[in-house]
Amino acid sequence: MSKMWKLHQIRLEDKLVELINKEGWKCHVKALAWTEAQLKGDPTIGLTHDCYEHVANVIADDLEHVFEVGNIGPEDRLERIRDMHSISVGDIIENAKGDRWVCAKMGWEKINEPATA
């Protein structure tokens, strides 16, 4: 049975990308949060510093289906709220009850902290 899931991602705005290109990935907490999430699958810094944004709602049966829809569609199961990239390591999925999972290098890992994203 399909449900609605929230997709949270760390988005790097153009000005931050310019700063990263000039000063490196340690120049800003959001850049550091992005690298920890994307490269290691660790959302801790991003959650602690409120770096995640709700970027889309996905209609899917389960987490694996969320991943499929977020990467290959169909588009009619995806409600884009703001610019987003395909679902990848470090992104957070939240169900209607507020339970959250981070996309890991292999599968999903449950996040046990209170929701801040």
Side-chain angles (χ1 to χ4, degrees):
M1 177 179 215
S2 293
K3 302 173 263 193
M4 199 272 296
W5 306 77
K6 292 180 181 178
L7 169 61
H8 302 273
Q9 296 179 330
I10 299 174
R11 297 173 52 239
L12 301 179
E13 299 83 13
D14 291 342
K15 285 188 178 191
L16 181 54
V17 171
E18 289 175 22
L19 183 63
I20 292 166
N21 288 334
K22 183 178 178 183
E23 298 183 18
W25 284 97
K26 294 182 181 180
C27 68
H28 191 278
V29 69
K30 195 171 186 180
L32 187 57
W34 188 90
T35 60
E36 289 293 303
Q38 294 289 308
L39 300 179
K40 298 179 184 177
D42 183 355
T44 305
I45 295 172
L47 289 169
T48 301
H49 295 281
D50 201 27
C51 297
Y52 280 90
E53 296 179 53
H54 178 197
V55 297
N57 294 317
V58 181
I59 304 300
D61 300 334
D62 54 31
L63 290 169
E64 295 307 318
H65 194 207
V66 169
F67 187 83
E68 179 182 323
V69 171
N71 284 287
I72 60 173
E75 190 69 26
D76 66 350
R77 288 184 166 265
L78 190 61
E79 174 193 7
R80 295 171 190 265
I81 297 169
R82 48 185 42 93
D83 289 342
M84 60 166 279
H85 56 77
S86 60
I87 296 174
S88 60
V89 172
D91 292 344
I92 294 174
I93 303 300
E94 180 180 346
N95 69 13
K97 294 189 296 185
D99 298 324
R100 298 175 305 149
W101 295 263
V102 62
C103 184
K105 290 181 181 182
M106 292 285 294
W108 299 92
E109 292 180 10
K110 184 111 168 53
I111 299 172
N112 294 316
E113 308 92 84
T116 59

